[in-house]
Amino acid sequence: MSDDADTTFRPPYRVEVTDRAADLHEAHGDLAAGEGSGVTATVAGRVMLLRDMGRLCFATLRDSSGAVQLMATAKGTERYDELTALNLGDWVVATGEVVRSKKGELSVRVERWQLLAKARRGFGDKWHGITDTDMRYRQRYADLWANESSRRVFQARSRIMSLTRRFLEDRGFMEVETPVFHPIPGGAMARPFVTHHNALDMDLYLRIAPELYLKRLVVGGFERVFEIARVFRNEGLSPRHNPEFTMLELYQAYADLSDMMEITEQLVAHLAREVVGSTVITYGGREVDLTPPWRRATLLELIEEHAGVRLDLDMPIDELRRVAADHGVEVDPAWGPGKLILEVYEKTTEAELWGPVFVTDYPKEVSPLARDHRSKPGMAERFEPIVAGRELGNAFTELTDPEEQRRRFEEQARAKAAGDDEAMVVDEDYLRALEYGLPPTGGLGIGMDRLVMLLTDTHSIRDVVLFPTLRPEVG
């Protein structure tokens, strides 16, 4: 400690807090203006507003549940002058009778109080909070106090995660944990982060998806499993992308694509009812009706609807390349028909789908872990749920044949060798697991950050991730 450090303030090691702001409002909601309750409460939190009126002082005390007014008097409050000298943001604990002020504010009439921590940095003003977005993301600890909207978003996020777990557990799913470090990247087409384990002298990859480990557990006899997993992809930053994000993945034995559609729409509708109060929500000023059942439409049908062009896998490759180029796609000569069709869809159609809609029947070429479509050659049993122009997730009837899966992995490996950084590699242990037998299985992944964005009417992933990845501070 420096010589000029403040040596007079000694915070307590612990304090006994008996009440939260929200509980006081609920318990004393019928208290009339100017009345006392005869009940003594002890509350703690930050002083976010202070009005000194001479012999009478009012302060707004905010805790994690809400706010309650502190009312102090020169005659009835110990160390009154010190209380009126508090800085905004100081932490205090206060004890006194619960009363309703003459102006109708539920209050604690302070008899005694104690300073718990000093705020040596200021918060935003009471009307606008912190408006600098860079500061909000870098200093979330200040943003959460200064901006009530931020607190509401993260409270909703916590509730969404809890409700999701309960929803799945009520349907017989077991929550599991799978490795974050993978010996080879797999389970999705994405560029991984790589690190090195010194003791084993080997490179490891931060997981880009938990899929292959979860399906190993189905092979092992757990018929319904899920994980709310932190995953990592070495990609750029955008309003929809953060290098680390949260993914719900679940797998159900004896199920297929249709079962995954039902779970998706039922889960999202349930969360909307619980968090928003209705399955009809507003996003960006526009209504979205999440009531099941959602529309089902094929990728090719939707391209024709929105781009006005009819495509199929049997078209000559040069014609597909021309159509893609005409719609602004930068064509890679290595792409096959399936990849070209997907690129056209993503360029022209996905952002236009307000939905909700299940986009079905993706080309097998871009779906290396999905089972062949049962009636459409070259297509896979895969869908993506699209809501408000954004993909919420990805789902398959899972590929269970180890020989076909090996062929798909080898195709991916050739693409990687040709320069595709997001292509998969051959996972021999996963193939060995499939050789023990994977029953018919449906799989689903949902981006939980995007789901939170949807249900809180938030438009940047940085606003739903407590500590988003940012460029280094300058200066």
Side-chain angles (χ1 to χ4, degrees):
M1 182 179 292
S2 64
D3 292 339
D4 60 349
D6 184 353
T7 59
T8 59
F9 171 56
R10 292 290 182 268
Y13 284 87
R14 76 178 298 274
V15 291
E16 191 70 35
V17 180
T18 62
D19 302 274
R20 299 191 316 153
D23 298 333
L24 291 180
H25 283 283
E26 182 176 354
H28 302 283
D30 57 354
L31 197 63
E35 285 190 352
S37 67
V39 174
T40 298
T42 299
V43 292
R46 283 191 190 270
V47 174
M48 298 303 291
L49 185 65
L50 189 66
R51 303 190 306 278
D52 181 8
M53 307 176 73
R55 308 292 289 172
L56 182 63
C57 177
F58 296 98
T60 298
L61 184 82
R62 184 177 293 157
D63 64 17
S64 63
S65 72
V68 66
Q69 181 169 266
L70 300 183
M71 187 166 63
T73 61
K75 186 176 291 187
T77 302
E78 65 180 28
R79 303 190 336 276
Y80 176 79
D81 290 341
E82 293 179 35
L83 189 148
T84 62
L86 288 172
N87 293 319
L88 297 187
D90 284 350
W91 290 81
V92 301
V93 59
T95 300
E97 183 186 2
V98 180
V99 301
R100 180 81 64 181
S101 73
K102 291 180 181 179
K103 291 190 175 182
E105 286 288 328
L106 189 70
S107 308
V108 174
R109 187 161 56 202
V110 180
E111 298 168 9
R112 59 187 184 276
W113 66 280
Q114 189 174 11
L115 179 63
L116 302 179
K118 291 183 177 182
R120 292 173 170 83
R121 290 177 179 263
F123 290 89
D125 68 67
K126 65 179 181 179
W127 303 116
H128 300 104
I130 297 173
T131 56
D132 183 318
T133 54
D134 188 68
M135 179 181 176
R136 289 180 53 231
Y137 300 146
R138 293 187 191 280
Q139 300 179 32
R140 186 70 80 186
Y141 37 83
D143 171 51
L144 292 171
W145 287 106
N147 295 310
E148 186 178 353
S149 60
S150 290
R151 291 196 305 281
R152 286 198 301 265
V153 165
F154 290 107
Q155 287 165 341
R157 181 185 177 110
S158 176
R159 191 152 182 249
I160 287 166
M161 299 301 175
S162 177
L163 287 166
T164 298
R165 286 186 165 93
R166 198 175 314 150
F167 176 93
L168 293 173
E169 288 167 352
D170 288 347
R171 285 156 181 77
F173 285 85
M174 180 177 74
E175 184 172 12
V176 297
E177 296 172 303
T178 62
V180 173
F181 289 134
H182 289 188
I184 58 174
M189 297 174 69
R191 182 183 300 167
F193 287 96
V194 61
T195 187
H196 189 78
H197 190 289
N198 291 332
L200 295 176
D201 191 22
M202 64 182 291
D203 286 342
L204 292 169
Y205 301 87
L206 294 180
R207 67 180 169 197
I208 56 176
E211 176 168 343
L212 300 186
Y213 282 94
L214 290 170
K215 286 191 283 192
R216 285 173 171 94
L217 296 179
V218 179
V219 171
F222 291 138
E223 296 171 355
R224 297 187 181 204
V225 294
F226 78 95
E227 182 172 9
I228 297 178
R230 204 70 168 174
V231 296
F232 308 85
R233 297 183 183 178
N234 199 349
E235 57 190 16
L237 303 173
S238 83
R240 289 184 290 173
H241 297 92
N242 193 62
E244 59 173 313
F245 59 99
T246 302
M247 178 75 75
L248 164 67
E249 289 215 10
L250 63 88
Y251 294 85
Q252 179 179 341
Y254 322 125
D256 70 356
L257 201 70
S258 61
D259 299 288
M260 297 302 100
M261 289 183 184
E262 183 178 0
I263 286 177
T264 302
E265 63 191 7
Q266 292 294 336
L267 171 61
V268 175
H270 171 69
L271 294 174
R273 282 191 295 267
E274 293 294 320
V275 175
V276 182
S278 171
T279 54
V280 180
I281 68 171
T282 300
Y283 188 78
R286 186 174 172 186
E287 192 174 275
V288 188
D289 188 350
L290 300 172
T291 308
W294 295 0
R295 181 190 179 194
R296 278 82 163 150
T298 71
L299 184 140
L300 294 178
E301 290 169 345
L302 291 167
I303 291 174
E304 186 172 359
E305 281 183 24
H306 291 271
V309 60
R310 181 175 296 182
L311 303 179
D312 64 63
L313 292 173
D314 295 326
M315 289 177 65
I317 191 72
D318 288 341
E319 186 176 350
L320 281 173
R321 289 169 178 159
R322 179 188 59 75
V323 171
D326 287 347
H327 287 87
V329 175
E330 294 185 14
V331 176
D332 186 323
W335 291 347
K339 176 65 171 173
L340 287 164
I341 288 172
L342 179 64
E343 290 291 327
V344 171
Y345 161 77
E346 291 183 344
K347 190 74 172 182
T348 66
T349 303
E350 183 176 88
E352 303 302 316
L353 301 176
W354 194 250
V357 57
F358 291 122
V359 181
T360 66
D361 300 357
Y362 280 69
K364 183 170 72 172
E365 177 188 341
V366 293
S367 311
L369 297 170
R371 191 166 179 175
D372 284 14
H373 198 287
R374 64 195 75 185
S375 62
K376 297 180 180 180
M379 294 295 185
E381 296 218 343
R382 170 186 173 187
F383 75 81
E384 290 187 357
I386 307 295
V387 186
R390 294 180 177 180
E391 168 202 342
L392 278 188
N394 200 8
F396 312 143
T397 300
E398 299 296 331
L399 179 56
T400 60
D401 181 346
E403 294 179 2
E404 173 63 14
Q405 185 64 79
R406 179 177 290 280
R407 285 192 289 271
R408 303 268 193 95
F409 277 156
E410 289 173 349
E411 288 174 5
Q412 287 286 301
R414 286 192 290 272
K416 181 173 281 293
D420 186 347
D421 291 337
E422 296 186 350
M424 298 182 189
V425 296
V426 178
D427 188 332
E428 292 291 350
D429 181 72
Y430 178 67
L431 293 170
R432 178 170 57 190
L434 290 183
E435 289 170 356
Y436 280 95
L438 175 66
T441 298
L444 167 66
I446 292 178
M448 296 303 288
D449 308 282
R450 292 187 183 179
L451 184 54
V452 173
M453 289 169 64
L454 176 70
L455 296 178
T456 59
D457 195 7
T458 304
H459 300 268
S460 172
I461 194 171
R462 295 183 181 186
D463 289 317
V464 300
V465 174
L466 279 167
F467 300 101
T469 304
L470 302 170
R471 298 183 188 278
E473 280 189 271
V474 177

